[in-house]
Amino acid sequence: MRLDRRQTGPVPGLVRCVGAVVRDDRGRLLLVLRGHEPAAGTWSLPGGRVEAGESEAEALRREVREETGLEVEVGALVGQVERSVPGAVYDIHDFACRVVGGTLAAGTDAADARWCHADELMALPCSPGLVETLMGWGLLGAPDR
């Protein structure tokens, strides 16, 4: 489907999503192992769909809590990507976040959750485009150990 950004109103098949770029005090990135499609069995940033009536920040706090057990404070927009999946295009807005509470544990949509250094992330099976996107945004560089 061709996306025409001049249209007014929602674009059919375009799904608004959010993702959390969360680092701990050691510089490690928070990742979840996707438990469901799309990209089940791959590591990704925590996040998901923005539900009707939710702000992006509300959706992101809910998704991070559901997937990781952590409470976050949502900061600035880091970047935006679109990912095509059968029948839809995910319009993903990724935000810098800071942990303010909770205990790390895989939740509803995540098979696992963990903190990773950049070099560890490079060795994991990641969701399509994740590593390249994070590198393009300057969020992955030399190993951070």
Side-chain angles (χ1 to χ4, degrees):
M1 169 187 299
R2 184 171 164 270
L3 299 179
D4 185 348
R5 295 294 184 203
R6 295 172 298 193
Q7 290 180 320
T8 58
V11 176
L14 190 65
V15 179
R16 186 61 160 263
C17 299
V18 289
V21 178
V22 187
R23 293 201 182 269
D24 69 1
D25 58 356
R26 294 173 50 196
R28 298 176 301 175
L29 189 64
L30 180 62
L31 297 175
V32 294
L33 182 61
R34 297 188 54 81
H36 303 286
E37 293 299 338
T42 63
W43 291 91
S44 191
L45 299 176
R49 295 176 188 222
V50 177
E51 302 294 338
E54 277 185 318
S55 69
E56 289 181 324
E58 290 167 335
L60 196 49
R61 286 191 296 269
R62 175 184 51 77
E63 288 286 349
V64 172
R65 183 177 52 253
E66 288 175 358
E67 293 181 358
T68 71
L70 298 174
E71 299 291 332
V72 295
E73 178 181 276
V74 180
L77 179 68
V78 173
Q80 181 271 335
V81 296
E82 289 183 355
R83 297 283 182 242
S84 294
V85 297
V89 174
Y90 291 144
D91 179 26
I92 307 166
H93 294 224
D94 289 325
F95 292 85
C97 294
R98 181 176 69 87
V99 174
V100 294
T103 302
L104 181 61
T108 54
D109 288 341
D112 198 1
R114 65 185 281 195
W115 296 102
C116 280
H117 287 282
D119 58 345
E120 294 170 317
L121 171 65
M122 304 290 198
L124 293 173
C126 293
S127 60
L130 176 67
V131 172
E132 297 82 3
T133 297
L134 293 175
M135 289 179 81
W137 292 343
L139 297 176
L140 293 180
D144 47 5
R145 286 191 200 224

